[in-house]
Amino acid sequence: MKKLLNLIVLTGIIAGGCAQPKGYVIDGTITGNNPEVYLTGTNEKGKLDTLQRASALNGKFRFEGSVGEPKIYFLQVKGGKGRIPLLMEDTVFNVDIRKSDLGDVRNYTALGGKLQNLKDRLNQREIEIFQDRDSVLTCFYAAEKEQDRFAQMH
């Protein structure tokens, strides 16, 4: 009897630990003077609507809600450029915003959910390409400054 009770309790613990989240949570950090952060999405007319707004406190902000099915939302910083695409699912997201120019993937990290993690892998590959490009441009401009045509072409 005691073994059966232990088995039932253990099964309940395992089932409870494997349950899907009931909504999304976006935990974020941001550098700067605690700016406002907006969670936006497109409405039925294709225009951006502000879904939630949070004022960062000590560089931290949080959004909570539920989407039911995957959707694309965006995070924007008041007074900043660009936005962070979030492939929303009902799960936990962690966002780190390092600069207010969100048009450049090097200025933020957004992880959470299967789709968003795939997007992050794509962002990381884009960062590698930026680094390669910057390296080539550095060599090119150095050769140009020295008027070395051979080095500019190789």
Side-chain angles (χ1 to χ4, degrees), residues 13 19 27 34 42 48 51 57 59 61 65 75 81 103 107 113 134:
I13 290 172
D27 284 320
N34 296 322
T42 54
L48 281 179
L51 305 172
L57 182 60
F61 63 90
L75 282 179
K81 294 190 285 185
N107 296 335
D134 292 346

Side-chain angles (χ1 to χ4, degrees), residues 129-145 152:
I129 291 168
F130 283 158
Q131 290 169 341
D132 289 345
R133 180 205 61 193
D134 292 346
S135 174
V136 169
L137 285 175
T138 299
C139 293
F140 176 81
Y141 290 134
E144 183 179 53
K145 186 176 181 180
Q152 282 180 306

Side-chain angles (χ1 to χ4, degrees), residues 4 98 111 113 119 149:
L4 179 61
R98 295 178 290 279
L111 297 170
K119 171 77 170 91
R149 296 287 176 222

Side-chain angles (χ1 to χ4, degrees), residues 17-132:
C18 297
Q20 290 284 54
K22 291 183 175 33
Y24 65 82
V25 174
I26 302 170
D27 284 320
T29 58
I30 187 167
T31 58
N33 284 337
N34 296 322
E36 284 190 340
V37 181
Y38 302 101
L39 182 65
T40 62
T42 54
N43 62 23
E44 57 278 350
K45 294 179 182 177
K47 298 194 181 207
L48 281 179
D49 277 342
T50 300
L51 305 172
Q52 293 183 48
R53 177 179 33 180
S55 293
L57 182 60
N58 297 322
K60 297 186 182 304
F61 63 90
R62 183 182 184 105
F63 294 108
E64 296 181 22
S66 178
V67 290
E69 62 184 30
K71 294 181 180 179
I72 187 161
Y73 286 172
F74 302 95
L75 282 179
Q76 294 178 269
V77 177
K78 183 176 184 177
K81 294 190 285 185
R83 56 188 181 210
I84 299 173
L86 290 178
L87 304 172
M88 293 301 296
E89 303 172 61
D90 285 336
T91 190
V92 177
F93 290 82
N94 292 298
V95 178
D96 178 31
I97 302 173
R98 295 178 290 279
K99 294 185 181 176
S100 64
D101 179 5
L102 302 179
D104 187 338
V105 297
R106 295 174 284 189
N107 296 335
Y108 66 86
T109 305
L111 297 170
K114 196 180 300 183
L115 297 172
Q116 189 64 38
N117 290 339
L118 288 172
K119 171 77 170 91
D120 183 66
R121 286 180 34 207
L122 178 64
N123 289 350
Q124 295 307 313
R125 182 65 185 122
E126 188 175 347
I127 289 169
E128 291 171 14
I129 291 168
F130 283 158
Q131 290 169 341
D132 289 345

